[in-house]
């Protein structure tokens, strides 16, 4: 079965650029092209949920000029691509902290979400200024505050109650997490939500990713036997 929700750690823009003697910013620009191709291909393949890791809460530690290049690309992506996404019935949602963002970026995020809120063909979730530990801590803070105010009984709190305070409230967990560039780590991405995700690590850098790499990752996913702690169907005697 095809994954309902694919999440992608788009990694390797800098190395792709360096291998070609280009500045890192050129790698990020090529990365945006790959993102466009991938969103289209995912839509055509019938993937209902696509989450992309665009900027982590740790990426602020990069040189100022690179951070500002990345912010510029996000602005450009939303301004240039939002209309097409909307036309194609894509609902955009953003996960991550909104604190400390430049006001025009914060406004663009709200615009993308509110313009597309009624769309139902596909969901594109952009993880921006996102870090899973930060997300979990904010959720923990929220439940603690509600318990303190007497609105939530900590003894009766369920996993669903907790998950409802995460940024991903209402979204299914990712079935497949793809990371490009050969790195095999989560880098603070969807720690709670990835509990039973399948992982596919690809050697190509993100700017090289496209429809055929997506199809290959989906094929690998389809070969996996997901057991969720139980035993395989055919092993039931
Ligand atoms: C991914 O590519 C883009 C972001 C993290 C925003 P990188 O910029 O991490 O590229 P490498 O890993 O340095 O090659
Ligand atoms: C993860 O990539 C973040 C994004 C893709 C946005 P990084 O390049 O920041 O991760 P590390 O530093 O290699 O773990
Ligand atoms: Mg990287």
């Amino acid at each position: 079965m095809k994954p309902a929700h694919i999440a992608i750690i788009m990694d390797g823009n800098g190395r792709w650029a360096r291998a070609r003697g280009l500045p890192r910013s050129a790698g990020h620009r090529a990365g945006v092209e790959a993102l466009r191709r991938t969103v289209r291909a995912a839509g055509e393949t019938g993937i209902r949920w696509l989450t992309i890791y665009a900027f982590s809460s740790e990426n602020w530690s990069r040189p100022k000029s690179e951070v500002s290049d990345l912010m510029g690309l996000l602005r450009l992506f939303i301004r240039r691509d939002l209309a097409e996404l909307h036309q194609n019935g894509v609902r955009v949602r953003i996960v991550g902290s909104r604190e400390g963002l430049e006001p025009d970026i914060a406004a663009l995020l709200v615009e993308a979400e509110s313009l597309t809120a009624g769309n139902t063909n596909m969901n594109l979730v952009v993880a921006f200024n996102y870090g899973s530990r930060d997300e979990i801590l904010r959720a923990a803070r929220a439940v603690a505050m509600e318990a303190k105010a007497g609105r939530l009984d900590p003894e009766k709190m369920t996993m669903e109650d907790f998950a409802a305070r995460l940024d991903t409230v209402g979204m299914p967990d990712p079935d497949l997490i793809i990371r490009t560039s050969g790195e095999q780590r989560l880098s603070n991405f969807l720690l709670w939500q990835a509990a039973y995700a399948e992982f596919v690590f690809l050697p190509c850098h993100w700017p090289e990713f496209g429809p055929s790499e997506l199809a290959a990752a989906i094929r690998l996913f389809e070969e996996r036997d997901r057991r969720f702690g139980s035993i395989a169907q055919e092993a039931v005697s």
Side-chain angles (χ1 to χ4, degrees):
M1 218 167 54
K2 276 202 188 108
H5 184 176
I6 299 181
I8 307 183
I9 303 172
M10 312 183 289
D11 198 17
N13 293 351
R15 279 164 284 170
W16 178 88
R18 194 174 57 193
R20 284 158 184 76
L22 299 168
R24 290 180 62 86
S25 57
H28 295 314
R29 277 201 304 278
V32 175
E33 295 297 322
L35 174 60
R36 271 190 200 116
R37 297 194 285 275
T38 304
V39 175
R40 281 194 199 119
E44 285 159 13
T45 315
I47 302 302
R48 303 284 304 164
W49 290 83
L50 178 69
T51 295
I52 49 148
Y53 204 2
F55 191 86
S56 80
S57 47
E58 285 72 35
N59 286 149
W60 294 107
S61 65
R62 295 188 180 200
K64 249 188 166 161
S65 60
E66 178 161 352
V67 169
S68 114
D69 285 343
L70 288 166
M71 295 298 146
L73 282 175
L74 178 84
R75 284 188 185 97
L76 208 66
F77 179 72
I78 297 187
R79 289 206 189 110
R80 271 211 203 142
D81 292 63
L82 187 60
E84 182 187 331
L85 292 169
H86 184 44
Q87 229 163 36
N88 293 335
V90 178
R91 179 177 179 183
V92 179
R93 279 177 64 169
I94 322 288
V95 295
S97 171
R98 302 287 171 102
E99 220 136 287
L101 296 180
E102 286 174 39
D104 75 304
I105 295 228
L108 279 175
L109 301 183
V110 172
E111 184 193 332
E113 285 189 320
S114 50
L115 177 71
T116 62
N119 293 343
T120 53
N121 285 351
M122 184 190 168
N123 297 278
L124 175 65
V125 183
V126 182
F128 179 76
N129 193 22
Y130 177 86
S132 213
R133 287 184 170 177
D134 169 68
E135 177 193 31
I136 292 169
L137 181 64
R138 284 187 284 110
R141 228 179 254 141
V143 292
M145 299 289 279
E146 286 172 58
K148 195 170 150 195
R151 290 194 300 269
L152 183 85
D153 180 353
E155 305 255 13
K156 295 201 179 106
M157 193 176 91
T158 62
M159 280 194 226
E160 288 71 28
D161 290 332
F162 189 77
R165 272 83 179 176
L166 294 169
D167 296 350
T168 51
V169 52
M171 306 177 190
D173 284 341
D175 300 294
L176 167 62
I177 295 182
I178 301 170
R179 183 170 187 149
T180 55
S181 89
E183 307 296 355
Q184 304 195 1
R185 54 176 172 262
L186 274 177
S187 303
N188 207 7
F189 189 46
L190 302 178
L191 300 183
W192 170 283
Q193 299 85 347
Y196 274 101
E198 296 294 329
F199 292 89
V200 169
F201 298 104
L202 299 175
C204 68
H205 291 311
W206 177 247
E208 293 154 345
F209 194 91
S212 56
E213 287 70 23
L214 181 70
I218 293 174
R219 274 198 303 278
L220 287 170
F221 171 85
E222 287 174 326
E223 286 165 13
R224 304 272 172 92
D225 179 19
R226 301 181 83 194
R227 292 189 289 274
F228 300 97
S230 184
I231 57 174
Q233 205 49 45
E234 55 275 19
V236 178
S237 54

